[in-house]
Amino acid sequence: ANLDPTLRKVLIKDPSNSSTGMKDFSWSNLTAVQQSFLNINPEGTGVSTDNRGPDRLNYIRGDRSKEGENSPQFRQRSTVLGDIINSSPALVGTPAFIPYLADGIEKPDRGAGYKDYTKFREDNKRSNRKEMLYVGGNDGMLHGFESDTGKEVFAFIPSAVIQNLNKLSGQNYKGGEHRYFVDGSPIVRDVYFDNTLGWRTVLIGTLRAGGKAMFALDVTDPNNIKLLWEFDSSNDVDLGYTFAQPEIVRLHTGQWAVLQGNGYNSTNDKAALMVIDIKTGALLKKIVVPPVVEGNVTLPNGL
């Protein structure tokens, strides 16, 4: 009820930035291809362009001026916030590791330039860093709310779901046409990047049935959240729908990584475990399960 579309901070990956920049979710910041997705009438047959993309984008941001029961109005919503089904909220407050254990594990490998977890914890305790709730919604966004007030501080739309956002405005969306978008539970851990950046608080998000993609955000400073990377099936064809819950781990090499089961319905229909560099999104290792063959048929699989 408190979401004001004119004041919301809704961000997407900067399409003009090949690395990790973010921009406001506005019409001028979309690529021509992304604009074409939002110009499609979801109630038409086949690909029916209605050129209502700018209105549809404002609708997704929360503008309710074009809502109504009949076309050409958009679907009437009960709330601007989309349904939250399979995404469990992650509460992020004071860093939670035990300092002497975190420092005891990391410091021997990092040398004289190591930045202590004790100081990181002190700098980011609740009196200095507001407590946040992060949760994925089927309005196409990962949301960040202040836990004390419920105020939305931030929302992020992963690139992989933009192609389906037009469907949210259709009258046929209610009563059977529901789709999933950012439906995975975010996982948050403190990780050590290097002696320049030190400890950071990182969130890994997945889409479940919403797409073949995952993403990482640096949420150390809730007022200045940064996109670290997006990883999708264009990065590796063995990534399917990301139903598997990721885990953030410290490898035996001292490097921090994301362990991710590849999910269902990948291009190759294989089962694979992916080990992804948490800082850069680079695939460090992929362990593919041997295929199951019955007769001359390789059975589809996913981890």
Side-chain angles (χ1 to χ4, degrees):
N2 299 321
L3 298 181
D4 183 337
T6 63
L7 299 178
R8 295 180 75 187
K9 185 178 182 181
V10 182
L11 301 178
I12 58 172
K13 184 182 186 298
D14 182 353
S16 64
N17 189 332
S18 60
S19 55
T20 57
M22 286 197 288
K23 278 191 172 182
D24 186 60
F25 179 53
S26 66
W27 189 250
S28 60
N29 285 338
L30 298 179
T31 65
V33 172
Q34 290 172 334
Q35 289 179 349
S36 71
F37 292 144
L38 288 174
N39 273 327
I40 296 174
N41 176 7
E43 298 171 68
T45 56
V47 179
S48 174
T49 301
D50 61 7
N51 295 315
R52 299 191 69 195
D55 287 342
R56 199 165 274 119
L57 180 143
N58 290 332
Y59 173 91
I60 293 162
R61 288 188 61 95
D63 179 10
R64 311 196 72 173
S65 63
K66 299 291 193 299
E67 289 185 20
E69 290 300 326
N70 300 301
S71 296
Q73 298 293 91
F74 295 145
R75 173 177 62 94
Q76 187 78 45
R77 294 172 287 188
S78 58
T79 66
V80 169
L81 182 65
D83 53 275
I84 297 167
I85 300 180
N86 293 301
S87 183
S88 296
L91 179 67
V92 181
T94 300
F97 287 161
I98 300 172
Y100 82 88
L101 290 177
D103 289 336
I105 292 169
E106 284 293 336
K107 192 170 184 176
D109 290 342
R110 305 297 179 176
Y114 173 71
K115 292 180 167 56
D116 288 346
Y117 188 80
T118 304
K119 185 176 186 307
F120 174 76
R121 193 176 192 277
E122 183 66 24
D123 290 344
N124 292 284
K125 62 185 180 182
R126 191 169 179 185
S127 58
N128 297 332
R129 179 172 80 175
K130 58 189 170 189
E131 192 173 72
M132 294 285 292
L133 276 169
Y134 297 98
V135 67
N138 290 306
D139 47 14
M141 304 177 192
L142 175 93
H143 301 272
F145 302 100
E146 286 184 354
S147 67
D148 287 345
T149 66
K151 176 185 176 183
E152 184 190 60
V153 175
F154 164 89
F156 172 67
I157 299 177
S159 300
V161 306
I162 293 177
Q163 61 185 316
N164 293 318
L165 288 176
N166 67 312
K167 295 176 172 60
L168 288 168
S169 66
Q171 298 288 354
N172 57 1
Y173 187 79
K174 55 190 176 184
E177 294 293 331
H178 178 276
R179 293 184 68 96
Y180 294 96
F181 287 87
V182 187
D183 199 43
S185 298
I187 303 299
V188 184
R189 301 282 187 275
D190 298 325
V191 305
Y192 196 83
F193 275 0
D194 52 44
N195 285 353
T196 300
L197 296 171
W199 287 94
R200 311 300 294 173
T201 303
V202 177
L203 177 151
I204 304 297
T206 56
L207 309 184
R208 280 181 60 94
K212 301 177 181 181
M214 54 194 299
F215 57 90
L217 299 171
D218 183 337
V219 297
T220 308
D221 179 359
N223 296 314
N224 186 28
I225 294 174
K226 299 176 181 177
L227 175 65
L228 295 173
W229 44 264
E230 291 185 308
F231 189 99
D232 60 29
S233 56
S234 68
N235 298 104
D236 193 290
V237 294
D238 283 324
L239 187 69
Y241 288 96
T242 48
F243 276 75
Q245 181 169 295
E247 186 53 270
I248 298 171
V249 301
R250 186 182 191 270
L251 304 178
H252 67 285
T253 60
Q255 191 170 8
W256 287 81
V258 180
L259 301 185
Q260 177 68 29
N262 71 318
Y264 306 122
N265 201 30
S266 64
T267 300
N268 293 327
D269 265 333
K270 295 179 179 178
L273 177 68
M274 296 182 170
V275 185
I276 300 169
D277 186 325
I278 199 165
K279 181 182 175 184
T280 67
L283 183 65
L284 300 174
K285 181 79 174 179
K286 181 171 66 175
I287 303 169
V288 180
V289 177
V292 177
V293 180
E294 290 186 359
N296 294 321
V297 179
T298 300
L299 300 183
N301 205 355
L303 187 65

